[in-house]
Amino acid sequence: MMQLQISPSLRHVTVVPAKGVRDFVKVKVAPRKLSYRMVFYALLLLTFVLRFVFVLTAMDTIEGEDECSSLGCVGKRLGPRIFGRRLESTVPEEIYRVLEEAEVKIPTYGSDAPQSLEEFLAEMKTNKSDAKIFALRLKAMVSLLEQKTRTAKIQEYLYRHVASTSIPKPLHCLSLRLAAEHSTNAEARLPLPSPELVPFLVDNSRRHFVLATDNVLAAAVVAASLVGHALRPAAVVLHVITDRKSYAPMQAWFALHPLAPAVVEVRAVHQFDWFARGRVPVLEAMERDREARSQFRGGSAAIVASDDSERPVVVAAKLQALSPKYHSLMNHIRIYLPELFPSLEKVVFLDDDIVVQADLSPLWDIDLHGKVNGAVETCHGEDKFVMSKRLKSYLNFSHPLISRKFDPEECAWAYGMNVFDLEAWRKTNIKETYHEWLQKNLESDLSLWQLGTLPPGLIAFHGHVHAINPYWHMLGLGYQENTTRAEAEKAAVIHFNGRAKPWLDIAFPQLRPLWTKHIDFADRFIKGCNIRP
């Protein structure tokens, strides 16, 4: 430490060591003369400043315009102010004005608009164009490329629609072969479960899972992955619900491919005594919904040939309206779980496009705090594309019926793997609320929400949902191609929600093996129908 002493007359400046030793440096300040020592220190200070400026300049040069370190940033911010300069855009204002104001007719295929960046650059260099021509031709090229991109995107959505709504030949073959086996092979008609295991169907000490599907191969994968990862498979009871046409193939598959010691039940909807048309309002609503969508949406050809200004995502939504799954009772069946299983207290409902990757018995230990539905919320998480869904993502808040009742920023939750407390459910009016809003949507020309059963489910279960750990349910594997296999393998249940189902050729190749590894491709039915990994 040094001490600085200044005389009262300001004519002497003395620098001394902190310990009181005699003067170290003594500088005499004259009003009109400079001592050589003052000149020396001034030059020393100037040398230091020049070296600092040199370092800042070097940092700016090395790092470029877009990046800077903490030291370099000081130079970028202070340099222009010190030397009286301002950083300004080097793009001529004429280009901005033309791009913003000039009207360019959208080019068509075969027009003289540049088809690529290479053509554009070659044209500009050859013609020696000014800024205005440069901007006009650039805008024409971008408009053409946007039009091409839109057309390609719509075609992609059309092809995906066709692929996802058609039954692949191998799956159709599998159903036919199993139906034939059911009619000719007594083993394929064995009751499921066997009579001595029937009491387990209502035993609440066991873990009951419900799967509603008309897809035999999908059901086989769900069942195999569920039982295969169960630490106590003898405690697993799987209730498979299907429709009338799929009952024989489904029965034959599980009769010929037993999953003992787990218990498997296969029942068709028409086998439930209470499931008569007069007692299921959703059936009438589904018919009216089908008729309304047919008139409102039109066919796929009409949709694709719609207004050129319509965004591809809107076209995709209209194509999705034609999907048969939105008219399937299997999509609505979960709303009747308390009536379907009047003796059960708690069940886990599984969609047919999921794969189980861990033991699910801990789900029964989750305290739902009196709520009906244990589900994973979908408004927060690392994957912002999948985990960014709130009520406004599904419900139409421009409609007063929706905006008066709900908060658009409220977190949404996922169907596909849900823990349902049936005892708590029976004390609510969830089913009646579901029917009521289906009717309101029909009366509002299908304008209250997007397609599917999740939006009315979000409404019916509103206030009855308990959020569970996201580990239990990973979504988006049917439409998020950026998901890696390593990420997917960390979840207890992975869900191929979206069009790219794992049994289709349009499935994402890096994710499909997570599903196919639960299929025995040496099985005679699988092999006979040419179903491949």
Side-chain angles (χ1 to χ4, degrees):
M1 294 288 293
M2 307 292 265
Q3 292 182 350
L4 181 70
Q5 297 179 357
I6 304 175
S7 67
S9 63
L10 302 179
R11 301 175 70 117
H12 294 84
V13 179
T14 305
V15 180
V16 299
K19 294 183 179 180
V21 186
R22 64 186 220 165
D23 294 357
F24 179 66
V25 178
K26 189 169 184 180
V27 181
K28 184 176 182 181
V29 181
R32 294 178 182 173
K33 293 193 292 184
L34 291 174
S35 76
Y36 72 91
R37 287 189 178 89
M38 180 61 73
V39 173
F40 171 76
Y41 287 116
L43 291 174
L44 191 64
L45 177 63
L46 181 61
T47 301
F48 172 77
V49 171
L50 290 176
R51 293 184 66 180
F52 183 71
V53 171
F54 171 77
V55 171
L56 291 182
T57 305
M59 293 290 290
D60 288 347
T61 304
I62 293 172
E63 294 170 340
E65 294 291 332
D66 299 327
E67 298 180 358
C68 61
S69 64
S70 57
L71 185 62
C73 286
V74 173
K76 288 181 185 293
R77 293 171 183 172
L78 297 182
R81 296 180 184 177
I82 294 174
F83 297 104
R85 294 185 293 108
R86 295 181 59 189
L87 295 177
E88 297 180 355
S89 172
T90 58
V91 179
E93 289 295 328
E94 177 73 6
I95 291 182
Y96 286 119
R97 186 183 64 79
V98 173
L99 291 176
E100 292 175 355
E101 301 175 4
E103 294 185 4
V104 175
K105 184 178 180 181
I106 297 178
T108 58
Y109 295 105
S111 67
D112 65 340
Q115 304 288 313
S116 65
L117 179 61
E118 290 76 10
E119 288 188 20
F120 172 76
L121 292 175
E123 179 182 322
M124 292 299 101
K125 291 178 180 179
T126 302
N127 298 336
K128 309 292 185 184
S129 304
D130 58 15
K132 181 177 180 180
I133 298 299
F134 179 93
L136 286 172
R137 298 299 287 170
L138 176 63
K139 190 168 186 177
M141 181 190 72
V142 172
S143 299
L144 177 61
L145 294 180
E146 285 181 345
Q147 183 68 11
K148 285 185 176 180
T149 302
R150 178 186 179 278
T151 302
K153 203 70 180 175
I154 289 176
Q155 288 298 319
E156 176 193 352
Y157 287 136
L158 177 61
Y159 297 150
R160 285 185 175 272
H161 165 71
V162 173
S164 62
T165 56
S166 304
I167 300 176
K169 184 178 178 180
L171 267 64
H172 185 59
C173 166
L174 182 63
S175 292
L176 292 179
R177 281 178 176 261
L178 288 169
E181 193 76 13
H182 185 271
S183 64
T184 59
N185 186 351
E187 290 186 11
R189 297 193 299 273
L190 290 175
L192 292 176
S194 56
E196 66 273 13
L197 299 179
V198 169
F200 294 149
L201 298 179
V202 293
D203 183 357
N204 282 296
S205 67
R206 294 177 177 265
R207 308 311 189 198
H208 293 266
F209 297 86
V210 179
L211 169 64
T213 181
D214 57 0
N215 187 327
V216 177
L217 189 60
V221 170
V222 174
S225 63
L226 170 65
V227 177
H229 286 92
L231 296 180
R232 294 178 55 230
V236 172
V237 179
L238 176 61
H239 305 266
V240 180
I241 304 174
T242 190
D243 55 18
R244 187 187 296 267
K245 67 178 176 60
S246 301
Y247 172 72
M250 198 76 71
Q251 166 78 18
W253 176 268
F254 284 104
L256 298 173
H257 302 81
L259 295 171
V263 178
V264 178
E265 174 192 29
V266 177
R267 296 180 72 182
V269 169
H270 68 276
Q271 294 174 330
F272 291 91
D273 295 336
W274 70 275
F275 215 92
R277 186 180 182 84
R279 301 178 62 183
V280 186
V282 73
L283 292 177
E284 181 180 354
M286 284 169 55
E287 285 190 5
R288 293 181 58 191
D289 177 273
R290 186 185 298 110
E291 294 172 1
R293 289 193 192 282
S294 177
Q295 296 173 2
F296 181 65
R297 300 291 186 179
S300 58
I303 291 173
V304 173
S306 59
D307 184 6
D308 288 344
S309 63
E310 201 161 48
R311 294 187 302 154
V313 291
V314 176
V315 175
K318 290 184 176 182
L319 287 171
Q320 196 174 12
L322 302 180
S323 176
K325 76 174 185 176
Y326 293 113
H327 313 307
S328 171
L329 181 59
M330 296 298 101
N331 248 23
H332 295 274
I333 200 72
R334 75 195 85 198
I335 205 66
Y336 300 109
L337 288 176
E339 288 83 6
L340 288 168
F341 304 101
S343 301
L344 298 184
E345 298 172 356
K346 182 179 286 188
V347 301
V348 170
F349 188 90
L350 302 173
D351 273 355
D352 65 358
D353 53 354
I354 64 101
V355 174
V356 179
Q357 301 186 132
D359 176 44
L360 299 187
S361 59
L363 292 173
W364 269 260
D365 299 327
I366 296 176
D367 184 1
L368 298 182
H369 300 282
K371 303 294 186 181
V372 173
N373 181 2
V376 169
E377 291 185 324
T378 56
C379 67
H380 42 73
E382 294 182 2
D383 191 337
K384 298 302 181 184
F385 181 58
V386 176
M387 303 298 287
S388 61
K389 304 296 191 297
R390 301 181 181 274
L391 293 192
K392 64 183 180 182
S393 305
Y394 300 99
L395 306 180
N396 178 17
F397 278 88
S398 64
H399 199 291
L401 283 177
I402 298 295
S403 58
R404 285 199 302 262
K405 295 280 187 178
F406 307 101
D407 176 8
E409 297 300 324
E410 186 175 336
C411 194
W413 45 268
Y415 260 160
M417 198 294 299
N418 301 85
V419 184
F420 288 120
D421 185 337
L422 300 186
E423 286 193 311
W425 191 337
R426 295 183 184 102
K427 299 174 184 178
T428 70
N429 61 346
I430 288 174
K431 183 183 69 175
E432 290 72 21
T433 302
Y434 190 86
H435 293 155
E436 177 186 350
W437 280 90
L438 284 180
Q439 184 64 30
K440 287 181 178 180
N441 193 37
L442 288 170
E443 294 172 354
S444 301
D445 197 22
L446 310 176
S447 61
L448 298 186
W449 56 70
Q450 294 182 8
L451 299 168
T453 53
L454 178 57
L458 293 172
I459 294 175
F461 286 100
H462 191 254
H464 299 288
V465 178
H466 174 74
I468 63 176
N469 194 310
Y471 160 77
W472 293 111
H473 188 187
M474 183 179 190
L475 298 134
L477 276 70
Y479 66 87
Q480 169 61 297
E481 61 183 337
N482 294 328
T483 304
T484 66
R485 178 167 179 170
E487 292 170 337
E489 287 176 337
K490 297 176 183 178
V493 172
I494 53 176
H495 193 175
F496 288 84
N497 57 313
R499 285 203 175 106
K501 300 300 184 188
W503 53 83
L504 300 175
D505 290 337
I506 59 174
F508 300 126
Q510 77 276 18
L511 300 176
R512 191 168 186 265
L514 296 173
W515 185 82
T516 56
K517 70 180 181 180
H518 297 286
I519 300 175
D520 179 10
F521 290 96
D523 180 85
R524 64 187 178 98
F525 295 102
I526 300 294
K527 195 172 182 180
C529 288
N530 201 30
I531 298 174
R532 299 177 179 178

